[in-house]
Amino acid sequence: MTDNLNDFFSDNAQWVDDTSAGSSFDAALPPQPPKSRRDMRKRREQQRRRRYVTIIAAAVVVILVVVGGFFGVRMVKHLRQMNANGSQIQIEDYTGSGDKDTTFTVETGQGAAEIARNLVKADIVKSESAFTSAVTAAGATLYPGSYALKTHMKAADVVKILSDQSKAGGFAEVKAGERVSDVIANAAKMSGKDVSEFQAVIDGGGAGILPDEAGGKFEGWLEPGSYSVQDKSAKDILKEMVTARVNKLDTLGVPDGSERERIMNIASIAESEACNPDDYGKVARVILNRIDQDMPLGMDSTVAYGFNTTGSKLTDEQLEDGSNLYNTRVNKGLPPTPISNPGDSAIQAAMNPPEGKWLYFVTTNLKTGETKFVETEDEFWKIRDEYKSNNANAN
């Protein structure tokens, strides 16, 4: 009997009757015991079942965690392997110095992706991604031209060659500020033609090539850029450069006729005189102010052009020689023609120079290119002395 009572109280110590529908008085009463031993056995059986269900549920959770962790680790390893494989594909590259000699051409306007596709087709590099990655890593600029390469080359080695203009063949480069004489010398070298073929076209007045406002003179009318010169005549090469220049001037909105030639003239002097592009406009303003006041321009760059030399090599005799029509120290107004092929920035500055009363300027620091602009002659002598004190061997 004692065991039965112990079992009774053990089994019913945590039992609470449902009081949700009862009064607050009923809720305060102790739980009511089962009415019979049958009920007690039934309740013990229910508790055992609940314990079994709890144990089984816990076991299932543990199994799921273990299985999930196993497959999770496998998935992570798989993803890592996929990434590793992907990286291997991206950097798939040849490792040697190359096999068979071949020539590869980069056309004007082609980007790194297009060049990469053509290199893969030519079996020079192993993958497009290897080449484009090498271009990005090197921060390289790729130049048009024909290059001597090999099949099966390492992408980085190809990038080094294609970013070296000295190794480019078949393309002539026109640089902003260059004279026609420099342009045709380079075009002759790149095309394999004699420079006399180009000079003959220049001396011939450019009929059918130059616009009327050029007055038969090529200086200033060659557009900076790269041009294919393979299997082309000297006339065709120069015509392509002039056509590109006319199209660019139209795009920039440069007025037609004599005003176009005038702007090119001013721009070419600004390009030659200014050390920093930010000063192009101020130099143009000085030119205009001096013309308005009937003063000689006094530009050494124009004198040097007339003697086919550089400003640093001018002699006192040359600076005083008025027979040189480009000597703007002696002769007033603009020189007969532009003195170089100016770039876009100089042309735009010549069209829209800033307002100012400057009449003089001096590059006071040749290392930094710092140039000072002043209005009076007294101020000029001060900045000239500053130039002499700042620069060793100043002339």
Side-chain angles (χ1 to χ4, degrees):
M1 184 65 178
T2 301
D3 291 339
N4 289 340
L5 288 175
N6 288 337
D7 289 340
F8 170 77
F9 287 112
S10 174
D11 291 339
N12 292 278
Q14 301 298 323
W15 178 71
V16 178
D17 200 4
D18 182 10
T19 60
S20 60
S23 65
S24 58
F25 176 77
D26 292 336
L29 293 175
Q32 300 299 312
K35 296 181 180 180
S36 65
R37 292 183 178 181
R38 181 179 179 182
D39 291 337
M40 292 169 57
R41 286 194 296 270
K42 184 177 180 180
R43 189 165 300 281
R44 284 198 301 271
E45 185 63 29
Q46 289 175 345
Q47 289 179 337
R48 280 194 295 270
R49 284 199 297 269
R50 283 198 294 269
R51 284 196 293 270
Y52 293 151
V53 169
T54 300
I55 293 171
I56 292 172
V60 170
V61 169
V62 171
I63 292 171
L64 289 175
V65 170
V66 173
V67 172
F70 173 75
F71 284 104
V73 171
R74 292 193 60 183
M75 179 60 71
V76 169
K77 289 182 178 179
H78 179 65
L79 291 174
R80 286 179 178 174
Q81 185 62 42
M82 288 178 63
N83 290 334
N85 291 338
S87 298
Q88 289 175 1
I89 292 173
Q90 290 176 355
I91 62 172
E92 189 175 6
D93 198 1
Y94 293 123
T95 57
S97 58
D99 299 326
K100 299 179 180 178
D101 292 335
T102 186
T103 300
F104 182 80
T105 299
V106 177
E107 301 290 347
T108 300
Q110 287 184 330
E114 184 177 359
I115 295 171
R117 287 193 295 271
N118 293 336
L119 286 167
V120 172
K121 289 178 183 178
D123 201 22
I124 294 172
V125 300
K126 195 168 187 179
S127 67
E128 295 177 27
S129 57
F131 180 77
T132 54
S133 296
V135 171
T136 301
T141 298
L142 307 178
Y143 296 100
S146 295
Y147 296 86
L149 300 175
K150 293 178 179 291
T151 58
H152 302 164
M153 290 183 67
K154 187 176 180 180
D157 293 340
V158 176
V159 170
K160 288 180 182 178
I161 295 174
L162 300 189
S163 59
D164 185 349
Q165 278 188 295
S166 68
K167 298 185 182 300
F171 277 74
E173 186 81 10
V174 179
K175 298 177 181 178
E178 274 189 327
R179 299 173 181 176
V180 164
S181 56
D182 297 322
V183 174
I184 64 174
N186 183 50
K189 178 182 178 181
M190 293 295 101
S191 65
K193 302 181 183 303
D194 194 278
V195 72
S196 62
E197 297 183 43
F198 292 91
Q199 192 62 54
V201 179
I202 300 296
D203 295 340
I209 301 176
L210 289 170
D212 292 340
E213 55 264 42
K217 303 298 182 181
F218 279 82
E219 197 67 78
W221 288 93
L222 306 181
E223 175 67 17
S226 295
Y227 299 87
S228 174
V229 295
Q230 290 181 320
D231 303 321
K232 294 180 181 179
S233 68
K235 181 177 180 179
D236 287 341
I237 293 170
L238 289 171
K239 185 175 183 179
E240 185 177 353
M241 294 175 180
V242 172
T243 299
R245 170 61 100 191
V246 172
N247 291 338
K248 174 58 71 65
L249 295 178
D250 289 341
T251 300
L252 293 176
V254 181
D256 292 330
S258 60
E259 181 64 12
R260 178 169 284 194
E261 173 73 1
R262 176 176 171 274
I263 289 173
M264 297 294 290
N265 205 331
I266 294 172
S268 70
I269 299 173
E271 182 91 58
S272 299
E273 288 283 345
C275 294
N276 296 315
D278 290 342
D279 292 331
Y280 289 155
K282 287 186 176 182
V283 173
R285 177 53 67 188
V286 170
I287 293 171
L288 295 175
N289 288 344
R290 281 178 164 259
I291 291 175
D292 288 343
Q293 295 195 24
D294 196 32
M295 297 173 62
L297 299 186
M299 304 292 177
D300 287 353
S301 59
T302 64
V303 182
Y305 179 83
F307 285 113
N308 193 27
T309 185
T310 61
S312 62
K313 295 180 180 179
L314 287 171
T315 65
D316 290 339
E317 182 180 358
Q318 288 174 324
L319 291 172
E320 297 170 359
D321 186 354
S323 65
N324 173 7
L325 298 180
Y326 289 85
N327 189 340
T328 56
R329 279 177 172 247
V330 178
N331 304 302
K332 295 179 180 180
L334 291 170
T337 70
I339 61 172
S340 70
N341 295 288
D344 293 357
S345 297
I347 294 171
Q348 291 171 318
M351 284 196 296
N352 301 290
E355 293 297 327
K357 297 180 180 180
W358 310 294
L359 290 172
Y360 308 89
F361 65 89
V362 173
T363 300
T364 55
N365 191 319
L366 296 178
K367 292 181 179 179
T368 64
E370 181 184 8
T371 301
K372 294 186 177 180
F373 295 79
V374 295
E375 299 178 13
T376 68
E377 186 173 352
D378 288 341
E379 291 175 310
F380 164 73
W381 293 117
K382 290 179 181 179
I383 60 175
R384 192 205 68 160
D385 290 342
E386 185 177 342
Y387 155 74
K388 287 183 173 293
S389 62
N390 284 345
N391 303 282
N393 302 318
N395 58 11

